[in-house]
Amino acid sequence: MNRECFYPVDYSELPYNFNKYGGNTGNRLFCHALEKYLLQGQVPFDYLSSEMTVDQINADYESIVFPLANIFSMNKEAQAQMAYYAEVFSKYKIPVYAIGAGAQARSYDELKELATNLKPTASPFIRAIYNTGGQLALRGYFTEEVLNRMGFRDAVVTGCPSLYQNGREFKVLNNKVEEKDFKPLVNGTIRYLGTRKVSEAFDQYPYSLYLDQDQFLQVLYGAELTDYSLKALYALVKKYSHRGIMLLAQDRIKLFADIPQWMDYIRRNANFSFGQRIHGNIIALLSGIPAAVHQHDSRTRELAEFFDIPVFNEWRKNDSLYDIYLKCDFNKFNESFSDKFDNFEKFLKNCNIVDNLKKLQPLRNDEFYSFPQVVNQDYFQRLTSIYPSCRIRKHFLILKNVYRLLGALTANKKFKDKSEALEIS
């Protein structure tokens, strides 16, 4: 079977098969890592597909390696997944190894409540894994405590598998550049882009870039945009934010689904990574670039704390992004990493997945390739020449207030229907 990790991503097809990447390119990173561990151990494997029957899987394979992320969540999708896989796993006669499984809450304060609410759905899912003779590897100690409170105390905390792919001796340097040479990457969400401190950082540091993992997919690689009307402008700003439109016009928003390309781009264009996306920061670390996590939930916090990655709860009023960069210290990360690596390697060995991780090599060495072509780059440059930044903001606010006013004034169904038609999501 073809190994997907060996081949460059076709970005023209990406908008149509994004679910293949977990709907988020950060998910691709830890799948890429697991492929790397299996291949370096010369372990034959296939990709699980819906066409495979349970009988076929039981007859033809020895185990299932199941990469997970924030599966232990009250999110409806996660709840549905646990219920589905609990039923599916109950039919397997080979062990299931769930790797990288994490819990998700807004904060550590919700631990007790989360464990109580999760138990009806999570317990059958966890028991189904153990009943196959399998095991769970967890992302951090918050998740471990959630499972402990539900009565499951045998899971192993290994962190995320993605961070081990540079080998046991992996280190992050503490060297600092001067502020004039500072080239930060920011990751997060469109809402995060609009926060004052983040927005200011893009003005303050001209080499700063925003690395997206999902939300700008369609506008970067999807259908070509041609409408320059105020109505279209309003829709775009509403969806991507004023700051997002300006960064698109400046070619400062990037999204990579191809892991070697992503890492190569980081090495060439940045010296710091910061933001809310844990895997956006992990891939920067793997690329040799220091990173810090701006925590926004238990999931990002526990993984950063497990690996001793610098993590910030608040962005202090007088601190610039460069000040945060200067505060980052990786001595503890470097001192503890080899022990964590050994623990993860031991888990894989105990589960008979691979014997060791002693000879990790890149899956693909691309000396020459072109970076993906952004579909609407010219569109946004022209749009912002027609409506400069201040006019974009002004037009958006005016139209937003007009639509709100229309909504407030529409007392009967006829006018209400008309105002809803004007609302552009």
Side-chain angles (χ1 to χ4, degrees):
M1 182 178 234
N2 287 336
R3 300 300 178 216
E4 296 170 5
C5 47
F6 283 140
Y7 301 98
V9 170
D10 182 352
Y11 285 86
S12 67
E13 295 295 325
L14 191 61
Y16 312 104
N17 61 10
F18 200 53
N19 286 338
K20 176 180 172 182
Y21 299 89
N24 171 346
T25 57
N27 292 337
R28 184 68 191 95
L29 180 62
F30 61 80
C31 292
H32 176 92
L34 289 173
E35 290 169 340
K36 188 173 185 176
Y37 307 145
L38 293 172
L39 287 166
Q40 75 88 35
Q42 297 183 332
V43 178
F45 69 92
D46 288 324
Y47 300 100
L48 190 64
S49 72
S50 57
E51 288 78 25
M52 295 178 178
T53 66
V54 171
D55 289 341
Q56 176 190 356
I57 292 169
N58 286 330
D60 295 346
Y61 300 94
E62 296 178 359
S63 64
I64 296 173
V65 177
F66 197 64
L68 290 172
N70 50 322
I71 187 71
F72 299 119
S73 166
M74 293 308 298
N75 176 282
K76 289 182 179 179
E77 184 178 351
Q79 291 282 302
Q81 284 183 331
M82 283 191 286
Y84 170 77
Y85 284 118
E87 181 180 354
V88 172
F89 292 166
S90 67
K91 301 174 183 177
Y92 289 147
K93 298 179 181 179
I94 57 175
V96 174
Y97 300 110
I99 299 181
Q104 183 171 8
R106 286 174 295 184
S107 73
Y108 283 4
D109 295 336
E110 296 182 358
L111 190 153
K112 183 178 179 180
E113 178 185 0
L114 180 65
T116 300
N117 293 336
L118 275 175
K119 191 170 183 178
T121 310
S123 292
F125 170 72
I126 296 168
R127 280 197 296 269
I129 291 173
Y130 284 132
N131 287 342
T132 68
Q135 179 58 287
L136 283 98
L138 307 180
R139 297 180 77 176
Y141 296 112
F142 176 82
T143 302
E144 181 183 45
E145 183 59 27
V146 170
L147 266 64
N148 285 347
R149 286 175 178 264
M150 291 191 291
F152 299 97
R153 300 181 178 275
D154 295 326
V156 181
V157 178
T158 62
C160 180
S162 60
L163 199 46
Y164 298 115
Q165 55 187 303
N166 282 2
R168 188 178 188 276
E169 306 307 318
F170 177 54
K171 298 286 186 293
V172 179
L173 299 178
N174 274 313
N175 300 342
K176 307 296 183 184
V177 300
E178 295 183 19
E179 190 166 15
K180 65 181 178 62
D181 300 318
F182 189 46
K183 298 178 181 179
L185 303 174
V186 176
N187 55 71
T189 62
I190 292 173
R191 183 182 293 273
Y192 190 60
L193 267 181
T195 59
R196 184 175 64 84
K197 297 293 287 185
V198 172
S199 191
E200 286 175 355
F202 288 108
D203 292 330
Q204 189 171 3
Y205 303 107
Y207 297 110
S208 58
L209 296 165
Y210 179 74
L211 259 63
D212 180 48
Q213 292 177 205
D214 47 14
Q215 291 183 303
F216 287 88
L217 172 70
Q218 293 297 331
V219 78
L220 290 172
Y221 304 121
E224 184 177 356
L225 300 175
T226 57
D227 188 350
Y228 294 91
S229 68
L230 278 175
K231 185 176 179 180
L233 173 62
Y234 175 78
L236 288 168
V237 177
K238 187 175 181 182
K239 185 172 184 178
Y240 297 110
S241 80
H242 174 262
R243 175 61 64 179
I245 297 300
M246 302 315 298
L247 292 175
L248 285 167
Q250 296 162 3
D251 194 22
R252 294 168 69 185
I253 294 181
K254 308 292 181 182
L255 184 155
F256 295 101
D258 187 290
I259 302 303
Q261 287 184 354
W262 193 355
M263 295 177 70
D264 186 65
Y265 186 86
I266 291 173
R267 291 189 194 101
R268 294 170 186 253
N269 294 279
N271 44 39
F272 182 57
S273 174
F274 181 76
Q276 297 177 324
R277 307 301 287 263
I278 187 67
H279 287 102
N281 292 310
I282 284 178
I283 197 168
L285 294 173
L286 292 168
S287 305
I289 303 301
V293 175
H294 193 178
Q295 74 170 63
H296 66 99
D297 62 8
S298 66
R299 168 178 65 102
T300 50
R301 178 182 174 183
E302 78 163 337
L303 197 48
E305 289 180 345
F306 176 81
F307 282 113
D308 297 306
I309 299 169
V311 57
F312 294 82
N313 182 27
E314 296 180 355
W315 193 330
R316 289 168 48 180
K317 182 177 179 181
N318 296 324
D319 280 354
S320 67
L321 189 55
Y322 185 73
D323 291 327
I324 292 176
Y325 164 70
L326 292 178
K327 292 177 183 179
C328 292
D329 187 313
F330 286 90
N331 285 325
K332 195 173 180 181
F333 175 95
N334 293 334
E335 290 168 2
S336 64
F337 184 79
S338 59
D339 289 340
K340 295 183 178 75
F341 182 95
D342 291 343
N343 180 55
F344 179 67
E345 183 182 56
K346 181 181 178 181
F347 172 84
L348 296 181
K349 185 174 181 178
N350 287 344
C351 295
N352 296 313
I353 297 173
V354 296
D355 290 335
N356 63 71
L357 299 178
K358 298 294 187 285
K359 298 178 181 179
L360 293 174
Q361 299 293 329
L363 292 179
R364 207 177 78 224
N365 293 307
D366 292 342
E367 295 184 7
F368 304 100
Y369 56 80
S370 59
F371 287 111
Q373 181 65 43
V374 174
V375 173
N376 289 300
Q377 184 62 48
D378 292 341
Y379 172 86
F380 283 104
Q381 289 179 344
R382 184 180 170 195
L383 183 73
T384 51
S385 68
I386 297 172
Y387 308 108
S389 177
C390 59
R391 289 186 64 198
I392 287 180
R393 185 183 294 276
K394 179 180 178 182
H395 287 316
F396 176 74
L397 293 175
I398 290 173
L399 286 169
K400 185 176 181 181
N401 289 331
V402 167
Y403 291 141
R404 282 179 174 174
L405 180 61
L406 285 171
L409 292 176
T410 52
N412 60 52
K413 184 71 169 61
K414 178 180 178 181
F415 286 98
K416 187 176 181 180
D417 288 346
K418 186 174 182 180
S419 69
E420 287 175 348
L422 287 169
E423 276 295 336
I424 306 168
S425 59

